[in-house]
Amino acid sequence: MKYIVANWKMHLGVRESVALARGVLRSVRGRDEVPDIVLCPAFTSLGEVHKAIARSKVQLGAQSCGPAKSGAYTGEISPSMVRDVGSQFVIIGHSERRAMGESDALIRQKLEAALVQKLTPIVCVGETPEQRESGEAIDVIRDQLRATFEGLKMGRKQKIMIAYEPIWAIGTGVHAEVADVVEMHTIMRDFLANELRVNFDQCFFLYGGSVNADNAYPFLREQSIDGVLVGGASLKLRQFKGIIDAAQEVLTAQSQRV
Ligand code: PGA
């Protein structure tokens, strides 16, 4: 299984989003080995993209949600609204939202609220360039994981995704080394299981940061990398299709091995 999550951020109006979603559907039509694709358009396009991908295996995600169920929270969107419009996934704790002031505590609240609605959270963690340079990256990631997951109660069969997205790699054209991602994922898995003692039934580890059609394959080929979270390259159909092709190549090779 390989996940490709498209984070369209604050790009594309409704019509453009639907057109891109249809393009993605055309790209996967007739293929045997298709990765699990999750499209995360802006809130305003969720409903129409949901209709466009109906009856396909392509899934829908929101880019954020508020922590409250309902109430006087002008401008907020609740997890149940995200669910109601057809999303099964929600990105939580993206560094761009942390930079807008979302604290670890708020991210934890959002995560809990999303889980109540049986959404699959895609939790993002990542260090700044300065933290990387001063050798603090591992501690930063552990702190983010602790704040997000310590003592978390989860229902059985709840799926969770954690994306390692170093901030210096997001939107910069400079991606992390595959070996460094594998190492960080190992540290994260170990920390969650042995320090925090959270045992997820199904937990998938993604990488995000300047993934494109040219560099996706070596990430996806790694057994321990369950998928990629793609920003800029997910807005260009040709690029995104190239990433789907890379995943298909990996999945086909895997199925021939068994
Ligand atoms: P990028 O963004 O692929 O444009 O680097 C990734 C992300 O922000 O999730």
Side-chain angles (χ1 to χ4, degrees):
M1 178 175 281
K2 293 288 171 186
Y3 280 92
I4 302 180
V5 182
N7 177 9
W8 292 350
K9 307 192 180 183
M10 201 174 71
H11 295 288
L12 309 181
V14 176
R15 245 179 306 150
E16 298 153 301
S17 300
V18 168
L20 184 53
R22 290 199 178 124
V24 172
L25 290 184
R26 277 197 303 278
S27 309
V28 295
R29 200 164 291 150
R31 298 193 193 213
D32 290 337
E33 298 289 345
V34 181
D36 287 75
I37 298 169
V38 183
L39 303 181
C40 303
F43 285 134
T44 47
S45 298
L46 281 168
E48 289 300 315
V49 171
H50 180 239
K51 283 187 214 156
I53 61 176
R55 292 181 297 281
S56 81
K57 288 199 178 130
V58 174
Q59 300 183 82
L60 191 68
Q63 296 173 19
S64 180
C65 66
K69 249 187 177 163
S70 66
Y73 300 98
T74 303
E76 277 289 58
I77 300 211
S78 71
S80 66
M81 290 169 177
V82 164
R83 176 106 227 165
D84 189 40
V85 78
S87 298
Q88 296 109 311
F89 294 79
V90 60
I91 299 173
I92 291 177
H94 191 283
S95 60
E96 287 156 13
R97 297 210 58 91
R98 291 181 192 256
M100 285 177 225
E102 287 195 6
S103 63
D104 281 341
L106 179 59
I107 289 162
R108 169 64 177 248
Q109 284 174 19
K110 288 179 171 211
L111 174 65
E112 289 182 4
L115 290 172
V116 169
Q117 289 303 321
K118 308 244 178 314
L119 290 163
T120 296
I122 304 169
V123 176
C124 301
V125 295
E127 80 281 2
T128 63
E130 297 77 28
Q131 289 163 336
R132 178 96 191 161
E133 261 151 46
S134 60
E136 291 169 82
I138 294 170
D139 287 340
V140 168
I141 301 302
R142 284 186 178 142
D143 286 348
Q144 289 175 351
L145 290 176
R146 185 188 298 284
T148 314
F149 293 108
E150 191 168 39
L152 185 72
K153 300 263 177 308
M154 288 217 320
R156 286 187 63 78
K157 301 233 167 73
Q158 171 69 54
K159 190 156 66 176
I160 198 141
M161 311 185 89
I162 306 178
Y164 171 53
E165 293 210 308
I167 295 170
W168 46 270
I170 295 179
T172 58
V174 180
H175 62 82
E177 294 299 324
V178 176
D180 290 344
V181 175
V182 170
E183 190 192 353
M184 191 59 96
H185 278 178
T186 306
I187 290 166
M188 289 161 70
R189 283 192 170 95
D190 179 64
F191 184 71
L192 285 162
N194 300 321
E195 288 281 328
L196 301 185
R197 299 197 178 279
V198 277
N199 284 309
F200 303 119
D201 250 8
Q202 301 182 71
C203 187
F204 299 94
F205 288 81
L206 312 181
Y207 166 71
S210 296
V211 174
N212 60 34
D214 297 326
N215 61 32
Y217 182 77
F219 287 105
L220 292 165
R221 188 181 51 191
E222 283 299 328
Q223 218 193 331
S224 64
I225 300 178
D226 298 309
V228 287
L229 176 47
V230 189
S234 72
L235 293 165
K236 300 180 199 106
L237 185 57
R238 198 126 60 110
Q239 277 288 325
F240 197 61
K241 187 172 172 297
I243 298 169
I244 297 171
D245 290 343
Q248 182 177 22
E249 200 175 325
V250 170
L251 292 169
T252 306
Q254 279 176 358
S255 70
Q256 283 164 355
R257 246 178 276 138
V258 284

